[in-house]
Amino acid sequence: MTMPTTTPPSGKAALTGTPFADVTASATTLRRFLHGLPGVDTVGLEARAAALGTRSIKTTAKAYAIDLAISMIDLTTLEGADTAGKVRALGAKAVHPDPTDRTTPKTAAVCVYPDMVATAKEAVAGSGVKVASVATAFPAGRAALAVKLADVRDAVAAGADEIDMVIDRGAFLAGDFMKVYEEIVAVKEASGQARLKVIFETGELSTYDNIRRASWIGMLAGADFIKTSTGKVGVNATPANTLLMLEAVRDFRAQTGVQVGVKPAGGIRTSKDALKFLVLVNETAGADWLDNHWFRFGASSLLNDLLMQRQKLATGRYSGPDYVTVD
């Protein structure tokens, strides 16, 4: 998958001269803007997500979609028991997902904790696979801002190409939108050249209206991606919350010219699931987002099922779960 060589500007500078130039001037203007966003039609949103999920993709189109989905995966291990050996194995798998078939695309990235970034960088060196690191006291985000920024700087210093941060959900739910915005701006600055993915933990935001507001805070603050979840709570990525976020990035680009990526994460385990999400992308944001520079899957086990489905298309039979490595 060919990636663009430059990233469009983001943050305050990119919004100069747009309808949103003064939205973040104060807590009052930001609150007024966020509460002025159109309310989400829950029934309509879920019905559209369900309807798009019934679309069928077959034969050649399915083979293309499976390869596209593989190329969009942030292959992830975020466990307390992670070891250097496990991260090296994950990196090898990201570079050559199917060692018996070198036509299989690489994954977009491997995603690890900050202390494993250097190991991951070594494992994928020269391959083009990115190294993403969760930071800002992931997954809860319960730490002082100085600690969160140190977490980010450590990951970047170790070589992280991308930073996945978590927002302060407590501040958001208390209505302190400016605090959430300012933290994202500070993390964006600390990330330097690394692309920033902003995780909302949609399962904790309670309402679709809150997910829409969080999406706009992230985009206004300069997020390169907005991301559904950490994968560490009961409700993670769903077709409906991802559809809502895709609508947000579509509308944001239409009004500012700035493109922002989307990353659903957690609970996407099968090829069927992944293809449904690709349909959502195409039908909602459009073909410009059908690229791993703008759309990712945060997943650990999804790759295995995609590989088995890919083998099925090539040979006419399933190879079974022992065909792929166990994560």
Side-chain angles (χ1 to χ4, degrees), residues 206-254:
S206 302
T207 69
Y208 289 128
D209 286 333
N210 277 342
I211 295 170
R212 173 171 281 171
R213 291 176 186 131
S215 297
W216 278 88
I217 291 174
M219 295 186 295
L220 291 168
D224 296 296
F225 272 80
I226 53 176
K227 177 178 171 181
T228 59
S229 357
T230 65
K232 302 295 186 181
V233 299
V235 178
N236 294 289
T238 68
N241 62 35
T242 303
L243 173 57
L244 181 58
M245 291 165 62
L246 287 164
E247 290 177 343
V249 298
R250 176 200 64 197
D251 295 346
F252 188 75
R253 191 181 73 166

Side-chain angles (χ1 to χ4, degrees), residues 57-66 313:
I57 302 176
K58 298 186 183 298
T59 59
T60 304
K62 185 174 182 180
Y64 170 79
I66 286 173
L313 288 176

Side-chain angles (χ1 to χ4, degrees), residues 159-182:
D161 302 296
E162 301 169 357
I163 296 294
D164 289 34
M165 70 165 286
V166 289
I167 67 165
D168 185 335
R169 280 90 74 192
F172 181 93
L173 292 170
D176 193 350
F177 302 133
M178 183 55 75
K179 180 180 180 182
V180 177
Y181 169 82
E182 289 177 342

